Amino acid sequence: MRWENIIATAGLALLFACQTTPPIAIPQTTPVQVPQGPPPKPKIALVLGGGAARGFAHVGVIRALEQEKIPIDLVVGTSVGGLIGAIYAADLSSFDLEWTAFQLEKDDLFDFGVMNAVTGMGFAKGDKLEAWVKTHIKTKNIESLKIPFAAVATDLNWGYKVVLDSGSVARAIRASAAIPGVFEPVSHQGKILVDGGVVDNIPISVAKAKGADLVIAVDISGNVGNTNITNVMGVTLQATNIMFALNVERSKKAADVLIVPAGIGDIGMLDFSQKKRCMQAGIEATRAAMPTVRKVIDDWVAAHSKPPTTP
């Protein structure tokens, strides 16, 4: 019996040894996503168009953008847009901009003279405008402004668009705002220059060429209707106004956001009595455009954000 027990025990051992061991279950884990850091930020340009006294609307636009914390990485301006843009680019404060701009009066800009109108190439020389800029913008050279900046002028001899992004701030503004027939042309950087609005009153293409991802453009060319033209100056200003408005029609379609302050089209180009009205129109138009501004920024960020990686 002892051998039988031994054999039975051995048989049972062999039986259990032949059975397979069930696999050990390994718990499934969710892949860990590694974030790619902060989302990219678009380079946003503010392009300010020309329109003489209506340019005070630009002050309201900048104030509203600042209140909404929309960053401005580049400013490009034509004529009065260049003037307002340079003041802001120098200080980065809409309060300082408003304070400085609202000191500006027509007599600070126009040094009219009978002899100048008869023997010169404009009713005004433009010396007073340049002197005002030197007094109120302490930064002398464009390269030293706190925000990258460019003013646009026109080469009178050849009809080319000239981008002024270096050198004297005051001289660049004088050239960019030299309305043909009103101000004398300006000799600057080896060229004879007049108002940039002759070729591009809302220079969106300049901002794009300078690397802007998104462009917020402000059009103050407004309504060109004017039934109160009584002298040569009026004829010159009205012709200029029409010219500015027409080339805006060609270029404004390239803006990512176009802001058009309402209710200022009847303000004359030399009417400096409507500063508050223009500024309020700029504020209201910008606030109305804010959903669009935020959407184009969000869309750009979404399109340029990389999905998180999975290790």
Side-chain angles (χ1 to χ4, degrees):
M1 292 293 297
R2 188 178 61 181
W3 286 106
E4 291 177 354
N5 289 337
I6 293 173
I7 293 172
T9 301
L12 288 173
L14 289 172
L15 177 63
F16 284 111
C18 291
Q19 293 182 354
T20 59
T21 303
I24 299 173
I26 301 176
Q28 298 295 315
T29 59
T30 303
V32 178
Q33 294 184 333
V34 180
Q36 295 297 302
K41 294 181 179 180
K43 181 178 181 179
I44 301 175
L46 179 63
V47 175
L48 305 176
R54 298 172 189 170
F56 291 101
H58 293 322
V59 179
V61 170
I62 292 171
R63 177 200 268 193
L65 289 174
E66 189 175 274
Q67 289 174 340
E68 296 288 343
K69 302 188 185 308
I70 302 300
I72 301 301
D73 304 298
L74 170 67
V75 178
V76 179
T78 291
S79 198
V80 70
L83 172 60
I84 298 300
I87 297 171
Y88 182 66
D91 289 323
L92 292 179
S93 166
S94 63
F95 177 81
D96 291 339
L97 168 62
E98 182 179 345
W99 177 259
T100 301
F102 274 61
Q103 296 178 56
L104 183 63
E105 298 293 344
K106 182 169 67 175
D107 290 341
D108 293 321
L109 304 182
F110 298 98
D111 40 8
F112 294 114
V114 175
M115 290 304 298
N116 197 70
V118 173
T119 63
M121 290 189 286
F123 288 96
K125 294 181 66 176
D127 290 341
K128 289 182 74 172
L129 168 57
E130 186 170 354
W132 190 92
V133 174
K134 286 180 178 178
T135 300
H136 291 84
I137 299 180
K138 302 304 181 183
T139 305
K140 302 306 177 185
N141 292 318
I142 293 174
E143 303 95 315
S144 301
L145 293 170
K146 294 179 181 178
I147 302 178
F149 169 81
V152 174
T154 301
D155 186 319
L156 181 62
N157 294 120
W158 304 106
Y160 298 143
K161 177 164 52 184
V162 178
V163 178
L164 302 172
D165 54 8
S166 63
S168 169
V169 173
R171 196 71 172 177
I173 298 308
R174 177 178 175 177
S176 181
I179 301 171
V182 177
F183 288 103
E184 284 193 347
V186 179
S187 177
H188 184 50
Q189 296 186 356
K191 302 177 180 67
I192 303 299
L193 304 176
V194 294
D195 197 303
V198 172
V199 291
D200 197 351
N201 198 43
I202 186 167
I204 296 166
S205 61
V206 174
K208 294 285 189 179
K210 286 186 163 294
D213 297 306
L214 299 174
V215 172
I216 301 172
V218 187
D219 176 17
I220 57 169
S221 57
N223 177 16
V224 299
N226 185 355
T227 59
N228 188 30
I229 302 170
T230 59
N231 52 42
V232 175
M233 175 69 76
V235 171
T236 302
L237 288 172
Q238 178 62 359
T240 300
N241 199 23
I242 293 170
M243 177 172 51
F244 287 2
L246 288 177
N247 71 46
V248 162
E249 285 300 316
R250 294 194 300 268
S251 59
K252 68 183 183 182
K253 297 176 183 178
D256 295 285
V257 180
L258 182 67
I259 297 174
V260 184
I264 62 173
D266 63 328
I267 296 175
M269 294 184 73
L270 301 185
D271 184 359
F272 281 67
S273 68
Q274 303 294 319
K275 297 175 185 176
K276 285 289 185 181
R277 177 181 160 194
C278 288
M279 179 177 170
Q280 187 60 35
I283 291 173
E284 291 173 1
T286 305
R287 288 176 177 168
M290 282 312 303
T292 303
V293 172
R294 296 197 184 282
K295 183 178 186 305
V296 298
I297 293 174
D298 290 345
D299 288 349
W300 188 95
V301 170
H304 292 80
S305 297
K306 295 180 179 179
T309 59
T310 302

